[in-house]
Amino acid sequence: LRGFAPAAFTRSPPEVAFSDDISLVSDLGVDLARGREAYLSLFEAVAALNTSPLLDVAGLRAGELQCDYSIGPDAVSVRWSAPLTPASTGISAALPAAALSGISTYTLAADGRLCRHELSNLRLNGRRLPSSTLAEWLRLYRRSSPASPAEAFAT
């Protein structure tokens, strides 16, 4: 992870690091990719988009991730942050620079390869994205096992 996580937005990670059944799970618990080929294809697409000349006109380009690793017996948690830099010309030239951050939790398979990559606490400029806010509410709701959503969120 230390060797390839910082470049997650600019190049695909090495195939050998992942189990055949790796899954990428969004902050809402939805599978974004399942299987090594689909997982790697998704990161290849992100890298291609991030390095595309189209972003020179209309987009924000993601820089290298700053990563902080917490290693456990069955999982590795990576708290990451990536600068988003506006293009120097075109539509996005007037946009301010920004930062995208979050937590990636990687579950380890018995052979030490990564078998699950779960995203959480996604933020833009420190503000939690709506999907991560909703995911946290859903976790609280499930944990309390209420009879109804209204009961779960009653004060």
Side-chain angles (χ1 to χ4, degrees):
L1 280 172
R2 291 182 197 276
F4 61 81
F9 290 139
T10 56
R11 70 176 179 265
S12 183
E15 181 177 320
V16 69
F18 305 98
S19 67
D20 291 339
D21 62 346
I22 178 81
S23 61
L24 176 62
V25 181
S26 76
D27 50 352
L28 287 171
V30 175
D31 278 355
L32 300 174
R34 181 170 289 280
R36 186 178 2 196
E37 186 176 330
Y39 182 86
L40 294 173
S41 292
L42 186 133
F43 278 92
E44 287 170 8
V46 167
L49 178 63
N50 193 44
T51 57
S52 169
L54 294 174
L55 287 183
D56 292 338
V57 176
L60 294 170
R61 195 170 302 280
E64 187 167 289
L65 277 68
Q66 300 297 313
C67 299
D68 181 32
Y69 303 88
S70 297
I71 301 170
D74 299 326
V76 177
S77 179
V78 181
R79 184 175 298 277
W80 53 266
S81 178
L84 301 176
T85 307
S88 56
T89 62
I91 299 167
S92 65
L95 295 174
L100 179 65
S101 62
I103 299 172
S104 287
T105 302
Y106 297 89
T107 304
L108 302 173
D111 64 2
R113 293 188 296 167
L114 305 172
C115 64
R116 181 176 170 91
H117 176 181
E118 186 172 351
L119 298 169
S120 62
N121 200 24
L122 300 177
R123 295 173 181 263
L124 183 62
N125 289 339
R127 295 184 65 156
R128 190 176 285 206
L129 295 182
S131 59
S132 284
T133 300
L134 180 58
E136 193 58 35
W137 279 102
L138 289 172
R139 274 192 277 285
L140 289 171
Y141 174 74
R142 288 184 196 124
R143 193 177 309 142
S144 64
S145 300
S148 71
E151 181 183 319
F153 303 122
T155 56

